[in-house]
């Protein structure tokens, strides 16, 4: 690598694990059980945003009269019935190899997710990633989530690096903006399920295994 990149910081949902899509399918099933249809075009609007953004969107739909407390109670009961999402079952198959390769090359690895810490911890445990990242940040670690640049700036600081020394791998509009405003070089990973506006990113890859050769060329 010609540029002094010393770290790669990954988003979680949609980048390392195909969890956004799995949660979307679960939520569609839940809503249909209650006679509510979620328009397909609403999903990209909340990708990369906290779960509360999704809840607010659902509660604003025509025909939905739940309070937030009612929605939470009903969805919690649904989740208890079908069980939690196991992240190893939606792990992108090339993620473990890519993370190991980058670490062997001497790059520091970070995880910066807008998901709650509980979800991040479950992903790390399910996928066997407990020791691979040099820093892990979740929703509770920041005052403002993406698209605020706070989480990426904090990740760089925890790695004892400047943002300019870091590459961020993202998929959502909000995540890309967060990393850009933090001053990082941004690589956007294409979603296999939906189209997202990733035009602001510096580089684009279709799958994670495309990342190491891209970094070698930079």
């Amino acid at each position: 690598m010609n540029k002094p990149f010393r770290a790669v910081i990954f988003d979680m949902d949609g980048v390392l694990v195909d969890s956004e899509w799995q949660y979307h399918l679960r939520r569609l099933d839940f809503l249909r059980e209650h006679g509510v249809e979620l328009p397909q075009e609403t999903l990209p609007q909340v990708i990369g945003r906290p779960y509360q953004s999704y809840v607010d969107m659902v509660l604003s739909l025509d025909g939905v009269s739940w309070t937030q407390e009612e929605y939470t109670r009903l969805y919690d009961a649904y989740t208890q019935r079908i069980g939690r999402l196991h992240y190893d079952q939606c792990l992108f198959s090339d993620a473990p190899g890519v993370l190991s390769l980058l670490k062997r090359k001497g790059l520091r690895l970070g995880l910066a997710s807008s998901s709650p810490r509980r979800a991040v911890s479950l992903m790390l445990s399910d996928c066997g990633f407990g020791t691979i990242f040099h820093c892990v940040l979740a929703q509770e670690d920041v005052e403002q989530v993406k698209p605020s640049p706070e989480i990426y700036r904090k990740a760089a600081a925890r790695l004892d690096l400047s943002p300019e020394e870091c590459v961020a791998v993202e998929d959502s509009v909000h995540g890309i903006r967060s990393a850009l405003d933090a001053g990082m070089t941004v690589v956007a990973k294409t979603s296999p399920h939906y189209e997202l506006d990733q035009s602001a990113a510096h580089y684009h890859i279709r799958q994670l295994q495309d990342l190491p050769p891209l970094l070698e060329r930079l």
Side-chain angles (χ1 to χ4, degrees), residues 64-125:
V64 173
S65 57
W66 294 316
T67 64
Q68 177 159 325
E69 291 73 19
E70 289 170 332
Y71 173 85
T72 299
R73 176 175 55 80
L74 290 169
Y75 191 71
D76 284 351
Y78 170 83
T79 301
Q80 290 177 8
R81 189 176 83 242
I82 67 170
R84 75 169 179 89
L85 178 67
H86 291 272
Y87 289 93
D88 55 322
Q89 297 176 4
C90 59
L91 174 69
F92 286 113
S93 61
D94 52 357
V98 168
L99 293 175
S100 296
L101 174 61
L102 295 179
K103 195 167 186 178
R104 288 198 305 271
K105 287 179 174 292
L107 287 163
R108 298 179 68 77
L109 302 181
L111 182 66
S113 174
S114 290
S115 291
R117 184 176 293 108
R118 179 178 180 276
V120 173
S121 296
L122 285 171
M123 188 281 291
L124 294 173
S125 176

Side-chain angles (χ1 to χ4, degrees), residues 102-156:
L102 295 179
K103 195 167 186 178
R104 288 198 305 271
K105 287 179 174 292
L107 287 163
R108 298 179 68 77
L109 302 181
L111 182 66
S113 174
S114 290
S115 291
R117 184 176 293 108
R118 179 178 180 276
V120 173
S121 296
L122 285 171
M123 188 281 291
L124 294 173
S125 176
D126 286 351
C127 299
F129 290 159
T131 60
I132 201 160
F133 292 101
H134 297 90
C135 78
V136 174
L137 287 91
Q139 182 184 122
E140 293 86 347
D141 294 307
V142 293
E143 294 183 7
Q144 292 184 307
V145 294
K146 303 170 186 178
S148 164
E150 181 183 359
I151 195 166
Y152 278 107
R153 287 174 178 164
K154 280 195 170 183

